[in-house]
Amino acid sequence: MNTRTKKHIYASIPFLIAVLFLGVSALIGTSIDSNGMLIEKGFFLILLAYLMIAAGVVSNVWVYLKSQKTEQHI
């Protein structure tokens, strides 16, 4: 496995973390209290999952652009 492939794998780790966060949020579930208010105990995990997806997109674009730049210099 060359370093280029390793960089792409490392850049994809935030996507895996986002899937994990969304899965845990689904497992925690939601409930409705006696007043009819929706209670989501794992709501923060959804927000963190979106943050991880954004970080994954940015890191993958960064790695792709850096790899294209180094290929042009060779």
Side-chain angles (χ1 to χ4, degrees):
M1 188 180 301
N2 59 14
T3 58
R4 182 177 173 201
T5 306
K6 286 181 184 179
K7 288 180 183 178
H8 285 287
I9 290 172
Y10 290 143
S12 298
I13 288 175
F15 289 120
L16 299 173
I17 294 171
V19 169
L20 178 72
F21 284 164
L22 290 174
V24 170
S25 174
L27 286 175
I28 292 173
T30 61
S31 61
I32 299 177
D33 68 359
S34 61
N35 295 331
M37 180 164 293
L38 179 67
I39 298 174
E40 291 191 61
K41 295 176 184 170
F43 181 72
F44 71 97
L45 292 172
I46 297 171
L47 300 176
L48 288 176
Y50 285 144
L51 181 67
M52 288 292 119
I53 290 170
V57 168
V58 169
S59 63
N60 276 302
V61 168
W62 180 266
V63 167
Y64 175 76
L65 292 175
K66 293 288 273 186
S67 67
Q68 293 297 321
K69 184 177 177 182
T70 56
E71 285 179 5
Q72 290 177 356
H73 290 304
I74 293 177

